[in-house]
Amino acid sequence: MTPHLLDRATARRIAVRAQLLDAHRPADLLSAVDRLTFLQIDPTAAVAPNADLVAWTRLGAGYHPDDLVRALEHERSLFEHRAMIRPMADLALHLAEMAAWPPDARRRDWLAANDSFRRYVLDVLRDAGPRLSRDIEDRSVVPWPSSGWTNNRNVTQMLEFLAARGEVAVAGRVGRQRTWDLAERVYPATAAVSAEEAARRRAERRLGSLGVARTAVVGDAGEPARIEGTSGVWRVAPAALDDAPFTGRTALLSPFDRLVHDRVRAKELFDFDYRLEMYVPKTQRRWGYFALPVLHHDRLVGKVDATADRRGSVLRVDAIHPDVPFTPELTAAVHAEMAALASWSGLRDLRLPIR
């Protein structure tokens, strides 16, 4: 079909609205995760854990991290799988992939060599219920070799593999540590969707959460589009092509937020240059360890270098890096959002940089 022709402002607004970052906030956590399709888990919590920060950015002060715990561990309306939190209603779209895992010979060979270890881990969980990895004895026959942090962490590696295969699942957490159980005790009985159908539906949902995306990200989902000032063809979610008026707001985003996660897309649509600098030597950072991108209506306008000082109960803002001139209105909106973040985080004070 003939590609839709979109100017960049329209494309940006489609992207912002798809990510629930316009003025119309979602009703609740489950609605938000269903639209976003997942929340990414990351251990970095310079300001707040990523899943909580992304949820707060959408839901505002009404969101509490206990809401996420309740959905995961009690209501089972969400599930944690491979560092992502997803709607349990989407489980059927992942079962075929789980059944086909692992895709590579190295992991298949390690599992085969450690089949007795695999059966032992499943027996422990079956008999003892949810366990931390440290509560399970390492009975590996062949240790897991790695040059990284997984080297010889055999119990954790086996649990990760069994979770990827859909044999075990994350049942909850004790602090930051995961507890593991048999998948049948965590997941409801669900009929798998074929791999082809699952891939198609997941691509459609992914596009719906992004609004506009490249084919490499969403395949043939949606409809073709061309966006002024960019080359090549995009895909656009048909439901996003409406004439509803756009009303924006100001938001502080996690560096892992899907509006900015694809740095090339952020540059093409928003002319926004960004990278996460927590692995960059301090003297070489431009914006800060965990700088938060700033969204204002349909533009990404800067970065806020902020850290939650829990001991001092202060949100410490070391710098605000504007990408565009900040008007008094924009400055006030960004300050208000920083104050809202501090309040939601339970911090008593907001400390702004000295001019």
Side-chain angles (χ1 to χ4, degrees):
M1 62 180 295
T2 303
H4 299 279
L5 300 178
L6 306 175
D7 58 53
R8 284 215 296 172
T10 299
R12 288 196 301 268
R13 290 171 182 178
I14 287 173
V16 168
R17 184 180 288 143
Q19 275 288 297
L20 304 176
L21 287 166
D22 63 342
H24 305 287
R25 294 183 185 269
D28 52 49
L29 176 64
L30 185 57
S31 298
V33 180
D34 181 65
R35 176 59 177 266
L36 300 177
T37 74
F38 66 83
L39 299 176
Q40 180 179 343
I41 298 171
D42 188 88
T44 308
V47 175
N50 180 67
D52 291 322
L53 184 56
V54 170
W56 169 77
T57 301
R58 273 69 182 176
L59 295 161
Y63 169 72
H64 192 279
D66 286 346
D67 300 340
L68 187 56
V69 174
R70 183 169 56 254
L72 285 165
E73 300 184 19
H74 303 290
E75 299 170 355
R76 300 292 192 202
S77 54
L78 302 174
F79 71 100
E80 178 180 336
H81 180 64
R82 306 192 73 184
M84 301 292 182
I85 294 168
R86 300 183 182 276
M88 191 66 82
D90 280 357
L91 177 63
L93 304 183
H94 298 272
L95 292 177
E97 184 178 71
M98 293 180 189
W101 201 94
D104 60 290
R106 182 188 183 212
R107 290 173 175 81
R108 286 196 298 270
D109 291 346
W110 189 78
L111 282 170
N114 284 290
D115 189 59
S116 62
F117 180 32
R118 167 185 165 274
R119 287 184 277 108
Y120 162 71
V121 170
L122 293 174
D123 287 343
V124 168
L125 296 180
R126 184 175 295 106
D127 295 340
R131 299 281 93 184
L132 295 166
S133 61
R134 65 171 179 257
D135 296 330
I136 300 175
E137 182 183 347
D138 182 356
R139 294 191 181 181
S140 58
V141 177
V142 178
W144 176 257
S146 170
S147 59
W149 72 272
T150 58
N151 188 59
N152 211 32
R153 294 171 64 95
N154 301 306
V155 173
T156 297
Q157 198 71 352
M158 178 58 76
L159 288 166
E160 294 276 10
F161 282 16
L162 295 181
R165 288 162 56 92
E167 294 184 84
V168 307
V170 177
R173 286 181 177 258
V174 178
R176 292 191 177 187
Q177 300 297 309
R178 292 168 293 182
T179 60
W180 303 86
D181 203 352
L182 298 179
E184 64 201 51
R185 294 177 180 160
V186 178
Y187 300 154
T190 305
V193 175
S194 71
E196 295 77 12
E197 176 66 9
R200 184 187 66 79
R201 286 167 57 180
R202 285 167 61 179
E204 287 178 348
R205 285 184 46 68
R206 191 179 310 119
L207 178 58
S209 74
L210 296 172
V212 290
R214 292 294 193 177
T215 301
V217 178
V218 298
D220 293 331
E223 298 174 356
R226 292 191 179 275
I227 299 173
E228 70 167 2
T230 71
S231 60
V233 179
W234 297 70
R235 306 298 295 187
V236 61
L241 296 168
D242 59 34
D243 296 325
F246 176 85
T247 305
R249 60 184 172 94
T250 304
L252 301 179
L253 308 181
S254 163
F256 301 106
D257 197 291
R258 256 41 199 182
L259 191 70
V260 297
H261 185 266
D262 183 335
R263 311 303 190 207
V264 174
R265 176 177 179 265
K267 183 68 175 176
E268 288 182 304
L269 295 186
F270 294 88
D271 197 24
F272 187 66
D273 186 20
Y274 182 82
R275 70 168 174 164
L276 180 59
E277 296 181 320
M278 63 185 183
Y279 302 115
V280 176
K282 187 174 183 178
T283 56
Q284 298 177 26
R285 292 174 190 155
R286 295 173 61 189
W287 304 304
Y289 176 83
F290 198 74
L292 307 178
V294 181
L295 173 71
H296 183 67
H297 295 206
D298 66 346
R299 300 302 301 267
L300 290 164
V301 297
K303 299 96 177 168
V304 170
D305 181 11
T307 306
D309 177 357
R310 300 291 173 185
R311 181 172 296 180
S313 192
V314 59
L315 181 66
R316 195 181 311 279
V317 179
D318 291 324
I320 300 173
H321 302 282
D323 284 18
V324 300
F326 273 28
T327 64
E329 175 194 11
L330 176 52
T331 299
V334 174
H335 285 188
E337 196 66 8
M338 290 189 293
L341 177 57
S343 176
W344 170 76
S345 300
L347 304 173
R348 292 193 302 269
D349 194 16
L350 168 65
R351 191 164 302 168
L352 297 174
I354 299 174
R355 297 190 178 187

